[in-house]
Amino acid sequence: MVIEGGSWGAIKFPSIVGVLQHPTRGWVLFDTGYAQRFIDETARFPEKMYRMITPVHLCDTEKLAFQLSQLGISAEDISYVFISHFHADHIAGLADFPKAKFICSERAAKAVIHSSRLGGLVKGYLPRLLPHDFLARCVFIERTKKVVLNNQYAPFRHGYDMFNDGSCLAISLPGHAVGHYGLMVESQGRARFLVADACWTRRAYIDGIKPNRLAHIIMDNRKQYLESLNKLSALYLANNELHIIPSHCQESFEEFCSV
Ligand SMILES: [Zn+2]
Ligand SMILES: [Zn+2]
């Protein structure tokens, strides 16, 4: 599914979470990955189909709350969770962070909230993963300050400045899911672009590898997905110092992540 023309077989597919420390806003997460709640909410049909199609391995030491505790961070310390999109593998842990505000696309949030049980499931949504006070805690990306990006991020032209200091810029990467956003994080002169599921592997933007056509069934808009992927390839070609990190890339996981 990940590589057009690739062989069929199971591969490791990590679910990467970003942990950022902002000097004044505190701890910020980029997505939450899986959580026990995903296992619980997919125990019965029809939701069980989700887990059958994408089998999950989640032991206690892989749970985000445990990993954060290893960094000396408690769940209450998380001030914000940036939600790239609402597929269950990115939002299953939202309810574990009682004090966090949720930065997300308004269009995406409303799509998942208003989805029916089956209609949502087909799109990869499990609305029951959202905390009961979810909407009251949202900061909608589209209502934050829109900025023109530095030339070094061409062909991306615009972003949204999450904290009004240029440190965290939400950049639209449409196609994979409704309201899908990446986050450009600048710190001490270095930038990292967390691109979530705009592509599944680093090879995709380096070598221009598309996913299998079957994978497009779950996508919101195939044409936009390929446009976003082409833009990431162009960005990488022009600026290969920049670390572009897809959420499910095993190579990126081995290079940048620790568990
Ligand atoms: Zn996704
Ligand atoms: Zn994903």
Side-chain angles (χ1 to χ4, degrees):
M1 292 292 263
V2 172
I3 298 172
E4 189 175 49
S7 58
W8 292 103
I11 58 165
K12 276 193 178 173
F13 210 65
S15 222
I16 299 175
V17 169
V19 185
L20 321 169
Q21 187 175 29
H22 187 277
T24 59
R25 306 295 185 116
W27 291 104
V28 181
L29 296 180
F30 177 84
D31 290 333
T32 70
Y34 286 107
Q36 182 60 39
R37 207 166 293 101
F38 176 81
I39 312 286
D40 299 341
E41 290 296 338
T42 55
R44 282 179 292 279
F45 284 105
E47 286 80 6
K48 196 169 183 175
M49 294 287 290
Y50 203 141
R51 193 153 33 117
M52 289 168 74
I53 293 168
T54 55
V56 174
H57 180 271
L58 184 69
C59 64
D60 285 346
T61 55
E62 289 169 332
K63 289 176 181 165
L64 182 55
F66 176 81
Q67 292 192 57
L68 289 173
S69 74
Q70 297 300 100
L71 297 170
I73 305 166
S74 74
E76 287 77 18
D77 291 337
I78 302 298
S79 310
Y80 294 90
V81 180
F82 183 95
I83 301 170
S84 64
H85 66 299
F86 283 81
H87 284 160
D89 54 319
H90 296 256
I91 61 143
L94 288 183
D96 292 335
F97 303 101
K99 298 199 173 145
K101 290 191 171 135
F102 304 125
I103 304 174
C104 62
S105 154
E106 183 168 12
R107 211 161 69 83
K110 293 195 170 155
V112 67
I113 286 166
H114 297 308
S115 65
S116 65
R117 188 175 176 188
L118 274 178
L121 187 60
V122 169
K123 289 188 155 63
Y125 301 149
L126 295 172
R128 286 158 62 113
L129 295 175
L130 300 177
H132 61 92
D133 56 352
F134 173 73
L135 267 183
R137 292 161 65 188
C138 280
V139 176
F140 292 126
I141 293 170
E142 297 92 335
R143 299 192 199 183
T144 60
K145 188 174 151 203
K146 193 170 184 180
V147 292
V148 176
L149 296 174
N150 237 316
N151 277 343
Q152 62 178 328
Y153 300 141
F156 294 96
R157 302 282 171 214
H158 294 98
Y160 292 89
D161 191 347
M162 294 299 92
F163 302 128
N164 290 316
D165 60 1
S167 65
C168 293
L169 302 167
I171 298 176
S172 177
L173 292 166
H176 173 74
V178 173
H180 182 278
Y181 276 85
L183 192 64
M184 186 74 76
V185 183
E186 289 192 342
S187 171
Q188 296 165 341
R190 296 192 65 189
R192 288 188 174 156
F193 193 12
L194 307 172
V195 299
D197 291 4
C199 58
W200 280 323
T201 64
R202 183 191 288 187
R203 293 284 130 208
Y205 64 79
I206 293 176
D207 300 329
I209 298 172
K210 296 174 198 161
N212 187 288
R213 294 187 78 85
L214 276 177
H216 292 294
I217 294 168
I218 59 152
M219 290 192 188
D220 177 51
N221 185 314
R222 172 183 151 82
K223 184 167 169 280
Q224 287 184 347
Y225 178 87
L226 295 177
E227 282 168 6
S228 293
L229 180 56
N230 285 340
K231 280 182 162 183
L232 286 175
S233 294
L235 174 66
Y236 172 75
L237 269 180
N239 185 354
N240 54 24
E241 293 286 296
L242 174 70
H243 291 140
I244 299 173
I245 307 176
S247 289
H248 301 298
C249 176
Q250 179 67 15
E251 214 180 311
S252 301
F253 178 73
E254 283 166 14
E255 185 168 349
F256 296 111
C257 305
S258 57
V259 175

